[in-house]
Structure formats: C-alpha cells, structure tokens
Amino acid sequence: MTIGLEHYLILSTVLFSIGLYGALAKRNAVVILMSIELMLNAVNIAMVAFSRYIVPLLLTGQVFVIFIMVVAAAEVAVGLAIIMAIYRHRETIDATKIDLMKW
Amino acid sequence: MLGLNIAFWVLAIVVIAAALAVVLFRDVFRAALSMVLCFLAVAGIYITLSADFLAAVQVLIYVGAISVLIILAIMLTREVQRGSPSNRLRIPAFIVALLFLVGVGFAMLSTPWQVSVAPPLEPTTPALAGLLFSEGGFILPVEIAPVLLLATILGAIVLVREK
C-alpha cells in the first residue's frame, strides 16, 4: 500500500487532536503554548500534503505554511512575554489561577 | 517508493509518540524536549512530501528558535517543580478531542479528493522564491510580515521590561 494524501491528513488530524487536548486540559501556561504549537504544526502538515497531492506544481500550500510559521513565531514571542509579565506579578503561571478577567 | 513508505510510518509514529509525550509528561522540561523531537520528525515528514525548503525552515524556526524560547521561559518561571498537572476539565477535554478526531477523520476519509498524478516539483526553493517575490504572487503578505514581526518585537519588549 502506497502512502497517499489520506495518510498525511489522518496524521495531521491525530496531531491536532493531541494538541487540542493539551490546550484544553493543562494548567501550566507554557504547556498550553506548546500544545498550540503542536496544533499549528498539524495544520502545516495538512497544508503541505494538499499542496503535494492536489496541486503539485503550484506550491500555494507551501507559501501558506511559510506565513503560518511567521505568525506562529510572533505568537510564541508575545505569548511567552505575557506569561513572563504574569509570572512577575503573580508568581504563578497556573492557567486556572490567572482569572482576574474572568466574570 | 518502499523507502518512502517506511520513512513515513517511522516518522508518523515518532510524531504521534512525541506529541503524546508533550501532553502526558509530568515534567515540563521533558515535555519541551519531546516537543523538539516532534518538530524534528515533522521536518522529516516535509521531506517525504518533497518540501525540502520547508523542512530546512522548520528546523531553523521551530527546532532552533521557538523551542529555545520555550525552554528559556520554562527556566525563567521556575514552575518545573510543580510539573504540568491537568485541570479539572481533563475528561471533557479528552472527549472533545476524541470527537474532533472522529469527526474530522471521517470527513477527511470520506471526501473524494482529486489527487493529481503530476510528479512533485523539486527543488522547491526557486519556485517558492518566484511565487513569493514576483508580481502577481504573494509580495504584499511578504511585505506585511516584517511589520508584524517588528510589532511583535516591540510588544514583547514592552511586556517584559522592568518598570
């Protein structure tokens, strides 16, 4: 059995589900950020697979992946800066205790 | 072709196992290290998809930069002793993730994709450069990206700066 588009899509779905579980179920804010990175990587795999198997000569999916990487790098920098600021003020990065803006 | 198949299965297993380790390890630092492994295996997946430039970019940005940032944040926040416990929504989160997996997996498998038989473009770097920098390509997003990065750098500096 040769590897086709579906294999990559299922791999991407599984990786996204793992990242989704981590983002929803974890307390540590850094681990939540890591799970979000996993989800972005899953989307990138799906993009490259579509680009490879549906339009192999256009490469549009790969260009999209480059922009997703740019935005992911920006997101991680700002997210970690916010975590640092919160840690400096409250001495914790437990996401269940950071509830100042809740209700 | 057989080598490609074996490479895909090995890399897919490494990706899934490392991602599970990120979510399940109690030790935050070990979770970060297995995230690095996951990113490396994703770079290998890009190579099996004949996206050579993206594999190099993945290693540079994710393995090189983002993981260093995250490990630095772990060391600076001293939350390592507390580990990475789950909150009380663990079971609902698992159910949501499982529902997502089943639903999207079913949709992916039941959609009749129009797979092209054309061989992939190799190497991809000149074609990507042409697409990114030529007129009628993606030149406007390329010019907006530095503005976003500049705003990010300024925002991060303002957020972390001591008063």
Side-chain angles (χ1 to χ4, degrees), chain A residues 44-45 47-49 51 59-67 69, chain B residues 39 42-47 49-62 124-125 128 132:
Chain A
N44 285 352
I45 291 175
M47 287 269 183
V48 181
S51 166
L59 294 183
T60 322
Q62 301 202 10
V63 174
F64 270 65
V65 169
I66 293 176
F67 289 120
M69 281 179 180
Chain B
F39 288 164
V42 169
I45 290 280
Y46 289 164
I47 291 175
L49 283 165
S50 63
D52 44 4
F53 179 71
L54 281 186
V57 170
Q58 168 89 7
V59 172
L60 280 177
I61 294 185
Y62 276 102
T124 57
T125 314
L128 273 177
L132 280 174

PDB file of all heavy atoms in Angstrom, chain A residues 44-45 47-49 51 59-67 69, chain B residues 39 42-47 49-62 124-125 128 132:
ATOM      1  N   ASN A  44       0.098  22.708   9.374  1.00  0.00           N
ATOM      2  CA  ASN A  44       1.137  22.814   8.353  1.00  0.00           C
ATOM      3  C   ASN A  44       1.284  21.516   7.584  1.00  0.00           C
ATOM      4  O   ASN A  44       1.447  21.537   6.362  1.00  0.00           O
ATOM      5  CB  ASN A  44       2.469  23.185   9.001  1.00  0.00           C
ATOM      6  CG  ASN A  44       2.507  24.626   9.414  1.00  0.00           C
ATOM      7  OD1 ASN A  44       1.603  25.379   9.091  1.00  0.00           O
ATOM      8  ND2 ASN A  44       3.539  25.010  10.120  1.00  0.00           N
ATOM      9  N   ILE A  45       1.244  20.369   8.295  1.00  0.00           N
ATOM     10  CA  ILE A  45       1.347  19.083   7.599  1.00  0.00           C
ATOM     11  C   ILE A  45       0.210  18.934   6.601  1.00  0.00           C
ATOM     12  O   ILE A  45       0.417  18.527   5.452  1.00  0.00           O
ATOM     13  CB  ILE A  45       1.345  17.921   8.608  1.00  0.00           C
ATOM     14  CG1 ILE A  45       2.629  17.919   9.418  1.00  0.00           C
ATOM     15  CG2 ILE A  45       1.216  16.593   7.891  1.00  0.00           C
ATOM     16  CD1 ILE A  45       2.641  16.876  10.494  1.00  0.00           C
ATOM     17  N   MET A  47      -1.468  21.315   5.126  1.00  0.00           N
ATOM     18  CA  MET A  47      -1.253  22.249   4.014  1.00  0.00           C
ATOM     19  C   MET A  47      -0.252  21.696   3.005  1.00  0.00           C
ATOM     20  O   MET A  47      -0.484  21.722   1.801  1.00  0.00           O
ATOM     21  CB  MET A  47      -0.715  23.569   4.559  1.00  0.00           C
ATOM     22  CG  MET A  47      -1.721  24.391   5.273  1.00  0.00           C
ATOM     23  SD  MET A  47      -2.503  25.483   4.127  1.00  0.00           S
ATOM     24  CE  MET A  47      -3.538  26.378   5.236  1.00  0.00           C
ATOM     25  N   VAL A  48       0.893  21.185   3.513  1.00  0.00           N
ATOM     26  CA  VAL A  48       1.918  20.681   2.602  1.00  0.00           C
ATOM     27  C   VAL A  48       1.401  19.448   1.871  1.00  0.00           C
ATOM     28  O   VAL A  48       1.688  19.254   0.677  1.00  0.00           O
ATOM     29  CB  VAL A  48       3.217  20.373   3.373  1.00  0.00           C
ATOM     30  CG1 VAL A  48       4.284  19.885   2.421  1.00  0.00           C
ATOM     31  CG2 VAL A  48       3.707  21.600   4.066  1.00  0.00           C
ATOM     32  N   ALA A  49       0.614  18.607   2.556  1.00  0.00           N
ATOM     33  CA  ALA A  49       0.086  17.409   1.893  1.00  0.00           C
ATOM     34  C   ALA A  49      -0.875  17.798   0.775  1.00  0.00           C
ATOM     35  O   ALA A  49      -0.805  17.234  -0.327  1.00  0.00           O
ATOM     36  CB  ALA A  49      -0.612  16.520   2.915  1.00  0.00           C
ATOM     37  N   SER A  51      -0.830  20.581  -0.864  1.00  0.00           N
ATOM     38  CA  SER A  51      -0.018  21.186  -1.912  1.00  0.00           C
ATOM     39  C   SER A  51       0.702  20.110  -2.734  1.00  0.00           C
ATOM     40  O   SER A  51       0.824  20.225  -3.949  1.00  0.00           O
ATOM     41  CB  SER A  51       0.991  22.139  -1.288  1.00  0.00           C
ATOM     42  OG  SER A  51       1.979  22.493  -2.207  1.00  0.00           O
ATOM     43  N   LEU A  59       2.421  25.002  -5.522  1.00  0.00           N
ATOM     44  CA  LEU A  59       3.127  25.288  -4.267  1.00  0.00           C
ATOM     45  C   LEU A  59       2.421  26.310  -3.385  1.00  0.00           C
ATOM     46  O   LEU A  59       3.020  26.861  -2.479  1.00  0.00           O
ATOM     47  CB  LEU A  59       4.559  25.790  -4.527  1.00  0.00           C
ATOM     48  CG  LEU A  59       5.530  24.799  -5.153  1.00  0.00           C
ATOM     49  CD1 LEU A  59       6.878  25.450  -5.259  1.00  0.00           C
ATOM     50  CD2 LEU A  59       5.616  23.560  -4.323  1.00  0.00           C
ATOM     51  N   THR A  60       1.139  26.590  -3.644  1.00  0.00           N
ATOM     52  CA  THR A  60       0.445  27.592  -2.824  1.00  0.00           C
ATOM     53  C   THR A  60       0.397  27.178  -1.363  1.00  0.00           C
ATOM     54  O   THR A  60       0.582  28.009  -0.468  1.00  0.00           O
ATOM     55  CB  THR A  60      -0.984  27.775  -3.339  1.00  0.00           C
ATOM     56  OG1 THR A  60      -0.955  27.692  -4.753  1.00  0.00           O
ATOM     57  CG2 THR A  60      -1.529  29.094  -2.924  1.00  0.00           C
ATOM     58  N   GLY A  61       0.178  25.893  -1.094  1.00  0.00           N
ATOM     59  CA  GLY A  61       0.131  25.416   0.280  1.00  0.00           C
ATOM     60  C   GLY A  61       1.434  25.662   1.009  1.00  0.00           C
ATOM     61  O   GLY A  61       1.446  26.011   2.192  1.00  0.00           O
ATOM     62  N   GLN A  62       2.548  25.515   0.304  1.00  0.00           N
ATOM     63  CA  GLN A  62       3.842  25.724   0.962  1.00  0.00           C
ATOM     64  C   GLN A  62       4.041  27.200   1.301  1.00  0.00           C
ATOM     65  O   GLN A  62       4.610  27.535   2.340  1.00  0.00           O
ATOM     66  CB  GLN A  62       4.960  25.225   0.068  1.00  0.00           C
ATOM     67  CG  GLN A  62       4.800  23.755  -0.247  1.00  0.00           C
ATOM     68  CD  GLN A  62       6.091  23.119  -0.655  1.00  0.00           C
ATOM     69  OE1 GLN A  62       7.153  23.697  -0.546  1.00  0.00           O
ATOM     70  NE2 GLN A  62       5.996  21.886  -1.125  1.00  0.00           N
ATOM     71  N   VAL A  63       3.569  28.109   0.435  1.00  0.00           N
ATOM     72  CA  VAL A  63       3.653  29.540   0.756  1.00  0.00           C
ATOM     73  C   VAL A  63       2.825  29.839   2.008  1.00  0.00           C
ATOM     74  O   VAL A  63       3.261  30.577   2.901  1.00  0.00           O
ATOM     75  CB  VAL A  63       3.171  30.376  -0.442  1.00  0.00           C
ATOM     76  CG1 VAL A  63       3.118  31.846  -0.078  1.00  0.00           C
ATOM     77  CG2 VAL A  63       4.073  30.170  -1.626  1.00  0.00           C
ATOM     78  N   PHE A  64       1.639  29.214   2.078  1.00  0.00           N
ATOM     79  CA  PHE A  64       0.800  29.412   3.263  1.00  0.00           C
ATOM     80  C   PHE A  64       1.527  28.930   4.514  1.00  0.00           C
ATOM     81  O   PHE A  64       1.449  29.569   5.565  1.00  0.00           O
ATOM     82  CB  PHE A  64      -0.514  28.651   3.098  1.00  0.00           C
ATOM     83  CG  PHE A  64      -1.591  29.466   2.456  1.00  0.00           C
ATOM     84  CD1 PHE A  64      -1.458  29.884   1.156  1.00  0.00           C
ATOM     85  CD2 PHE A  64      -2.717  29.806   3.154  1.00  0.00           C
ATOM     86  CE1 PHE A  64      -2.435  30.639   0.560  1.00  0.00           C
ATOM     87  CE2 PHE A  64      -3.706  30.566   2.563  1.00  0.00           C
ATOM     88  CZ  PHE A  64      -3.571  30.986   1.267  1.00  0.00           C
ATOM     89  N   VAL A  65       2.232  27.802   4.399  1.00  0.00           N
ATOM     90  CA  VAL A  65       2.956  27.278   5.556  1.00  0.00           C
ATOM     91  C   VAL A  65       4.011  28.276   6.019  1.00  0.00           C
ATOM     92  O   VAL A  65       4.208  28.472   7.221  1.00  0.00           O
ATOM     93  CB  VAL A  65       3.574  25.908   5.221  1.00  0.00           C
ATOM     94  CG1 VAL A  65       4.528  25.481   6.302  1.00  0.00           C
ATOM     95  CG2 VAL A  65       2.490  24.885   5.062  1.00  0.00           C
ATOM     96  N   ILE A  66       4.680  28.935   5.072  1.00  0.00           N
ATOM     97  CA  ILE A  66       5.693  29.925   5.462  1.00  0.00           C
ATOM     98  C   ILE A  66       5.052  31.048   6.269  1.00  0.00           C
ATOM     99  O   ILE A  66       5.565  31.458   7.318  1.00  0.00           O
ATOM    100  CB  ILE A  66       6.407  30.474   4.206  1.00  0.00           C
ATOM    101  CG1 ILE A  66       7.237  29.371   3.568  1.00  0.00           C
ATOM    102  CG2 ILE A  66       7.277  31.659   4.555  1.00  0.00           C
ATOM    103  CD1 ILE A  66       7.887  29.768   2.293  1.00  0.00           C
ATOM    104  N   PHE A  67       3.875  31.514   5.824  1.00  0.00           N
ATOM    105  CA  PHE A  67       3.228  32.601   6.570  1.00  0.00           C
ATOM    106  C   PHE A  67       2.720  32.118   7.922  1.00  0.00           C
ATOM    107  O   PHE A  67       2.771  32.858   8.911  1.00  0.00           O
ATOM    108  CB  PHE A  67       2.106  33.211   5.733  1.00  0.00           C
ATOM    109  CG  PHE A  67       2.621  34.011   4.586  1.00  0.00           C
ATOM    110  CD1 PHE A  67       2.298  33.673   3.292  1.00  0.00           C
ATOM    111  CD2 PHE A  67       3.466  35.071   4.806  1.00  0.00           C
ATOM    112  CE1 PHE A  67       2.802  34.389   2.226  1.00  0.00           C
ATOM    113  CE2 PHE A  67       3.973  35.792   3.755  1.00  0.00           C
ATOM    114  CZ  PHE A  67       3.643  35.452   2.459  1.00  0.00           C
ATOM    115  N   MET A  69       4.175  29.923   9.721  1.00  0.00           N
ATOM    116  CA  MET A  69       5.354  29.885  10.590  1.00  0.00           C
ATOM    117  C   MET A  69       5.704  31.272  11.107  1.00  0.00           C
ATOM    118  O   MET A  69       6.062  31.433  12.281  1.00  0.00           O
ATOM    119  CB  MET A  69       6.539  29.291   9.831  1.00  0.00           C
ATOM    120  CG  MET A  69       6.516  27.785   9.741  1.00  0.00           C
ATOM    121  SD  MET A  69       7.913  27.216   8.808  1.00  0.00           S
ATOM    122  CE  MET A  69       7.633  25.463   8.859  1.00  0.00           C
TER     123      MET A  69
ATOM    124  N   PHE B  39       8.965  18.313  16.503  1.00  0.00           N
ATOM    125  CA  PHE B  39       9.207  19.260  15.415  1.00  0.00           C
ATOM    126  C   PHE B  39      10.207  18.691  14.414  1.00  0.00           C
ATOM    127  O   PHE B  39      10.048  18.855  13.207  1.00  0.00           O
ATOM    128  CB  PHE B  39       9.744  20.576  15.978  1.00  0.00           C
ATOM    129  CG  PHE B  39       8.714  21.371  16.711  1.00  0.00           C
ATOM    130  CD1 PHE B  39       9.087  22.400  17.542  1.00  0.00           C
ATOM    131  CD2 PHE B  39       7.369  21.086  16.572  1.00  0.00           C
ATOM    132  CE1 PHE B  39       8.142  23.144  18.217  1.00  0.00           C
ATOM    133  CE2 PHE B  39       6.420  21.817  17.247  1.00  0.00           C
ATOM    134  CZ  PHE B  39       6.813  22.847  18.073  1.00  0.00           C
ATOM    135  N   VAL B  42       8.484  16.257  12.248  1.00  0.00           N
ATOM    136  CA  VAL B  42       7.629  16.947  11.277  1.00  0.00           C
ATOM    137  C   VAL B  42       8.475  17.448  10.104  1.00  0.00           C
ATOM    138  O   VAL B  42       8.044  17.401   8.951  1.00  0.00           O
ATOM    139  CB  VAL B  42       6.863  18.094  11.958  1.00  0.00           C
ATOM    140  CG1 VAL B  42       6.180  18.976  10.943  1.00  0.00           C
ATOM    141  CG2 VAL B  42       5.821  17.537  12.892  1.00  0.00           C
ATOM    142  N   ALA B  43       9.716  17.899  10.389  1.00  0.00           N
ATOM    143  CA  ALA B  43      10.616  18.287   9.297  1.00  0.00           C
ATOM    144  C   ALA B  43      10.876  17.100   8.376  1.00  0.00           C
ATOM    145  O   ALA B  43      10.901  17.233   7.149  1.00  0.00           O
ATOM    146  CB  ALA B  43      11.925  18.833   9.854  1.00  0.00           C
ATOM    147  N   GLY B  44      11.042  15.898   8.965  1.00  0.00           N
ATOM    148  CA  GLY B  44      11.200  14.694   8.144  1.00  0.00           C
ATOM    149  C   GLY B  44       9.968  14.410   7.311  1.00  0.00           C
ATOM    150  O   GLY B  44      10.066  14.009   6.143  1.00  0.00           O
ATOM    151  N   ILE B  45       8.786  14.640   7.893  1.00  0.00           N
ATOM    152  CA  ILE B  45       7.535  14.456   7.142  1.00  0.00           C
ATOM    153  C   ILE B  45       7.515  15.381   5.931  1.00  0.00           C
ATOM    154  O   ILE B  45       7.108  14.996   4.829  1.00  0.00           O
ATOM    155  CB  ILE B  45       6.335  14.730   8.066  1.00  0.00           C
ATOM    156  CG1 ILE B  45       6.177  13.642   9.121  1.00  0.00           C
ATOM    157  CG2 ILE B  45       5.050  14.868   7.274  1.00  0.00           C
ATOM    158  CD1 ILE B  45       5.516  12.408   8.643  1.00  0.00           C
ATOM    159  N   TYR B  46       7.996  16.637   6.112  1.00  0.00           N
ATOM    160  CA  TYR B  46       8.051  17.561   4.979  1.00  0.00           C
ATOM    161  C   TYR B  46       8.967  17.016   3.890  1.00  0.00           C
ATOM    162  O   TYR B  46       8.687  17.182   2.708  1.00  0.00           O
ATOM    163  CB  TYR B  46       8.561  18.932   5.421  1.00  0.00           C
ATOM    164  CG  TYR B  46       7.603  19.713   6.265  1.00  0.00           C
ATOM    165  CD1 TYR B  46       8.031  20.801   7.005  1.00  0.00           C
ATOM    166  CD2 TYR B  46       6.267  19.364   6.326  1.00  0.00           C
ATOM    167  CE1 TYR B  46       7.162  21.516   7.775  1.00  0.00           C
ATOM    168  CE2 TYR B  46       5.394  20.073   7.104  1.00  0.00           C
ATOM    169  CZ  TYR B  46       5.847  21.137   7.824  1.00  0.00           C
ATOM    170  OH  TYR B  46       4.975  21.853   8.595  1.00  0.00           O
ATOM    171  N   ILE B  47      10.065  16.363   4.291  1.00  0.00           N
ATOM    172  CA  ILE B  47      10.971  15.825   3.273  1.00  0.00           C
ATOM    173  C   ILE B  47      10.284  14.707   2.491  1.00  0.00           C
ATOM    174  O   ILE B  47      10.400  14.622   1.271  1.00  0.00           O
ATOM    175  CB  ILE B  47      12.278  15.337   3.931  1.00  0.00           C
ATOM    176  CG1 ILE B  47      13.062  16.531   4.446  1.00  0.00           C
ATOM    177  CG2 ILE B  47      13.124  14.573   2.938  1.00  0.00           C
ATOM    178  CD1 ILE B  47      14.290  16.163   5.209  1.00  0.00           C
ATOM    179  N   LEU B  49       7.293  14.625   1.809  1.00  0.00           N
ATOM    180  CA  LEU B  49       6.352  15.295   0.911  1.00  0.00           C
ATOM    181  C   LEU B  49       7.091  16.113  -0.146  1.00  0.00           C
ATOM    182  O   LEU B  49       6.465  16.928  -0.825  1.00  0.00           O
ATOM    183  CB  LEU B  49       5.416  16.204   1.708  1.00  0.00           C
ATOM    184  CG  LEU B  49       4.295  15.507   2.463  1.00  0.00           C
ATOM    185  CD1 LEU B  49       3.662  16.422   3.477  1.00  0.00           C
ATOM    186  CD2 LEU B  49       3.248  15.037   1.482  1.00  0.00           C
ATOM    187  N   SER B  50       8.401  15.945  -0.249  1.00  0.00           N
ATOM    188  CA  SER B  50       9.278  16.667  -1.181  1.00  0.00           C
ATOM    189  C   SER B  50       9.130  18.182  -1.042  1.00  0.00           C
ATOM    190  O   SER B  50       9.088  18.906  -2.023  1.00  0.00           O
ATOM    191  CB  SER B  50       9.066  16.233  -2.628  1.00  0.00           C
ATOM    192  OG  SER B  50       7.782  16.525  -3.057  1.00  0.00           O
ATOM    193  N   ALA B  51       9.065  18.656   0.220  1.00  0.00           N
ATOM    194  CA  ALA B  51       9.101  20.094   0.503  1.00  0.00           C
ATOM    195  C   ALA B  51      10.419  20.381   1.211  1.00  0.00           C
ATOM    196  O   ALA B  51      10.455  20.555   2.422  1.00  0.00           O
ATOM    197  CB  ALA B  51       7.909  20.503   1.361  1.00  0.00           C
ATOM    198  N   ASP B  52      11.502  20.431   0.442  1.00  0.00           N
ATOM    199  CA  ASP B  52      12.831  20.497   1.052  1.00  0.00           C
ATOM    200  C   ASP B  52      13.077  21.831   1.746  1.00  0.00           C
ATOM    201  O   ASP B  52      13.621  21.878   2.842  1.00  0.00           O
ATOM    202  CB  ASP B  52      13.911  20.232  -0.002  1.00  0.00           C
ATOM    203  CG  ASP B  52      13.634  20.966  -1.294  1.00  0.00           C
ATOM    204  OD1 ASP B  52      12.650  21.721  -1.334  1.00  0.00           O
ATOM    205  OD2 ASP B  52      14.398  20.783  -2.252  1.00  0.00           O
ATOM    206  N   PHE B  53      12.638  22.935   1.104  1.00  0.00           N
ATOM    207  CA  PHE B  53      12.859  24.250   1.711  1.00  0.00           C
ATOM    208  C   PHE B  53      12.116  24.371   3.039  1.00  0.00           C
ATOM    209  O   PHE B  53      12.654  24.866   4.033  1.00  0.00           O
ATOM    210  CB  PHE B  53      12.404  25.341   0.742  1.00  0.00           C
ATOM    211  CG  PHE B  53      12.563  26.734   1.271  1.00  0.00           C
ATOM    212  CD1 PHE B  53      13.814  27.288   1.404  1.00  0.00           C
ATOM    213  CD2 PHE B  53      11.461  27.479   1.645  1.00  0.00           C
ATOM    214  CE1 PHE B  53      13.966  28.559   1.908  1.00  0.00           C
ATOM    215  CE2 PHE B  53      11.605  28.756   2.146  1.00  0.00           C
ATOM    216  CZ  PHE B  53      12.860  29.298   2.262  1.00  0.00           C
ATOM    217  N   LEU B  54      10.882  23.852   3.064  1.00  0.00           N
ATOM    218  CA  LEU B  54      10.105  23.945   4.298  1.00  0.00           C
ATOM    219  C   LEU B  54      10.725  23.113   5.407  1.00  0.00           C
ATOM    220  O   LEU B  54      10.662  23.495   6.582  1.00  0.00           O
ATOM    221  CB  LEU B  54       8.674  23.475   4.055  1.00  0.00           C
ATOM    222  CG  LEU B  54       7.775  24.484   3.382  1.00  0.00           C
ATOM    223  CD1 LEU B  54       6.379  23.951   3.346  1.00  0.00           C
ATOM    224  CD2 LEU B  54       7.828  25.792   4.103  1.00  0.00           C
ATOM    225  N   ALA B  55      11.333  21.978   5.045  1.00  0.00           N
ATOM    226  CA  ALA B  55      11.996  21.169   6.074  1.00  0.00           C
ATOM    227  C   ALA B  55      13.131  21.957   6.714  1.00  0.00           C
ATOM    228  O   ALA B  55      13.277  21.982   7.942  1.00  0.00           O
ATOM    229  CB  ALA B  55      12.508  19.871   5.464  1.00  0.00           C
ATOM    230  N   ALA B  56      13.925  22.649   5.875  1.00  0.00           N
ATOM    231  CA  ALA B  56      15.014  23.463   6.423  1.00  0.00           C
ATOM    232  C   ALA B  56      14.467  24.587   7.292  1.00  0.00           C
ATOM    233  O   ALA B  56      14.982  24.856   8.384  1.00  0.00           O
ATOM    234  CB  ALA B  56      15.859  24.031   5.279  1.00  0.00           C
ATOM    235  N   VAL B  57      13.391  25.245   6.826  1.00  0.00           N
ATOM    236  CA  VAL B  57      12.802  26.345   7.598  1.00  0.00           C
ATOM    237  C   VAL B  57      12.241  25.820   8.920  1.00  0.00           C
ATOM    238  O   VAL B  57      12.350  26.469   9.960  1.00  0.00           O
ATOM    239  CB  VAL B  57      11.720  27.049   6.756  1.00  0.00           C
ATOM    240  CG1 VAL B  57      10.927  28.007   7.599  1.00  0.00           C
ATOM    241  CG2 VAL B  57      12.363  27.785   5.617  1.00  0.00           C
ATOM    242  N   GLN B  58      11.637  24.626   8.871  1.00  0.00           N
ATOM    243  CA  GLN B  58      11.087  24.034  10.098  1.00  0.00           C
ATOM    244  C   GLN B  58      12.187  23.813  11.132  1.00  0.00           C
ATOM    245  O   GLN B  58      12.028  24.146  12.306  1.00  0.00           O
ATOM    246  CB  GLN B  58      10.424  22.701   9.737  1.00  0.00           C
ATOM    247  CG  GLN B  58      10.058  21.830  10.914  1.00  0.00           C
ATOM    248  CD  GLN B  58       8.686  22.123  11.434  1.00  0.00           C
ATOM    249  OE1 GLN B  58       7.951  22.886  10.841  1.00  0.00           O
ATOM    250  NE2 GLN B  58       8.334  21.529  12.544  1.00  0.00           N
ATOM    251  N   VAL B  59      13.323  23.262  10.672  1.00  0.00           N
ATOM    252  CA  VAL B  59      14.424  23.028  11.608  1.00  0.00           C
ATOM    253  C   VAL B  59      14.939  24.358  12.152  1.00  0.00           C
ATOM    254  O   VAL B  59      15.186  24.500  13.358  1.00  0.00           O
ATOM    255  CB  VAL B  59      15.556  22.237  10.925  1.00  0.00           C
ATOM    256  CG1 VAL B  59      16.770  22.159  11.821  1.00  0.00           C
ATOM    257  CG2 VAL B  59      15.074  20.847  10.582  1.00  0.00           C
ATOM    258  N   LEU B  60      15.058  25.375  11.272  1.00  0.00           N
ATOM    259  CA  LEU B  60      15.613  26.650  11.722  1.00  0.00           C
ATOM    260  C   LEU B  60      14.683  27.338  12.706  1.00  0.00           C
ATOM    261  O   LEU B  60      15.109  27.784  13.774  1.00  0.00           O
ATOM    262  CB  LEU B  60      15.850  27.570  10.516  1.00  0.00           C
ATOM    263  CG  LEU B  60      17.098  27.321   9.712  1.00  0.00           C
ATOM    264  CD1 LEU B  60      17.128  28.252   8.527  1.00  0.00           C
ATOM    265  CD2 LEU B  60      18.318  27.554  10.573  1.00  0.00           C
ATOM    266  N   ILE B  61      13.387  27.447  12.356  1.00  0.00           N
ATOM    267  CA  ILE B  61      12.480  28.266  13.164  1.00  0.00           C
ATOM    268  C   ILE B  61      11.981  27.499  14.379  1.00  0.00           C
ATOM    269  O   ILE B  61      12.087  27.961  15.508  1.00  0.00           O
ATOM    270  CB  ILE B  61      11.307  28.755  12.299  1.00  0.00           C
ATOM    271  CG1 ILE B  61      11.828  29.700  11.234  1.00  0.00           C
ATOM    272  CG2 ILE B  61      10.281  29.462  13.172  1.00  0.00           C
ATOM    273  CD1 ILE B  61      10.765  30.329  10.411  1.00  0.00           C
ATOM    274  N   TYR B  62      11.428  26.285  14.151  1.00  0.00           N
ATOM    275  CA  TYR B  62      10.819  25.583  15.275  1.00  0.00           C
ATOM    276  C   TYR B  62      11.877  24.959  16.183  1.00  0.00           C
ATOM    277  O   TYR B  62      11.922  25.222  17.384  1.00  0.00           O
ATOM    278  CB  TYR B  62       9.857  24.513  14.769  1.00  0.00           C
ATOM    279  CG  TYR B  62       8.499  25.058  14.455  1.00  0.00           C
ATOM    280  CD1 TYR B  62       8.117  25.314  13.162  1.00  0.00           C
ATOM    281  CD2 TYR B  62       7.614  25.352  15.465  1.00  0.00           C
ATOM    282  CE1 TYR B  62       6.884  25.829  12.873  1.00  0.00           C
ATOM    283  CE2 TYR B  62       6.374  25.866  15.199  1.00  0.00           C
ATOM    284  CZ  TYR B  62       6.015  26.095  13.899  1.00  0.00           C
ATOM    285  OH  TYR B  62       4.791  26.621  13.628  1.00  0.00           O
ATOM    286  N   THR B 124      12.228  22.865  -4.549  1.00  0.00           N
ATOM    287  CA  THR B 124      11.123  23.811  -4.464  1.00  0.00           C
ATOM    288  C   THR B 124      11.576  25.238  -4.212  1.00  0.00           C
ATOM    289  O   THR B 124      10.776  26.156  -4.344  1.00  0.00           O
ATOM    290  CB  THR B 124      10.180  23.419  -3.328  1.00  0.00           C
ATOM    291  OG1 THR B 124      10.923  23.355  -2.115  1.00  0.00           O
ATOM    292  CG2 THR B 124       9.522  22.092  -3.585  1.00  0.00           C
ATOM    293  N   THR B 125      12.850  25.444  -3.827  1.00  0.00           N
ATOM    294  CA  THR B 125      13.270  26.784  -3.407  1.00  0.00           C
ATOM    295  C   THR B 125      13.122  27.844  -4.508  1.00  0.00           C
ATOM    296  O   THR B 125      12.563  28.903  -4.252  1.00  0.00           O
ATOM    297  CB  THR B 125      14.710  26.736  -2.885  1.00  0.00           C
ATOM    298  OG1 THR B 125      14.839  25.632  -2.014  1.00  0.00           O
ATOM    299  CG2 THR B 125      15.045  27.993  -2.154  1.00  0.00           C
ATOM    300  N   LEU B 128       9.421  28.584  -5.017  1.00  0.00           N
ATOM    301  CA  LEU B 128       8.852  29.333  -3.884  1.00  0.00           C
ATOM    302  C   LEU B 128       9.294  30.796  -3.935  1.00  0.00           C
ATOM    303  O   LEU B 128       8.489  31.700  -3.691  1.00  0.00           O
ATOM    304  CB  LEU B 128       9.302  28.714  -2.571  1.00  0.00           C
ATOM    305  CG  LEU B 128       8.462  27.570  -2.030  1.00  0.00           C
ATOM    306  CD1 LEU B 128       9.088  27.026  -0.780  1.00  0.00           C
ATOM    307  CD2 LEU B 128       7.067  28.040  -1.753  1.00  0.00           C
ATOM    308  N   LEU B 132       6.896  33.947  -4.122  1.00  0.00           N
ATOM    309  CA  LEU B 132       6.826  34.910  -3.020  1.00  0.00           C
ATOM    310  C   LEU B 132       7.160  36.326  -3.480  1.00  0.00           C
ATOM    311  O   LEU B 132       6.560  37.292  -3.014  1.00  0.00           O
ATOM    312  CB  LEU B 132       7.797  34.513  -1.912  1.00  0.00           C
ATOM    313  CG  LEU B 132       7.349  33.424  -0.955  1.00  0.00           C
ATOM    314  CD1 LEU B 132       8.476  33.070  -0.023  1.00  0.00           C
ATOM    315  CD2 LEU B 132       6.164  33.889  -0.156  1.00  0.00           C
TER     316      LEU B 132
END
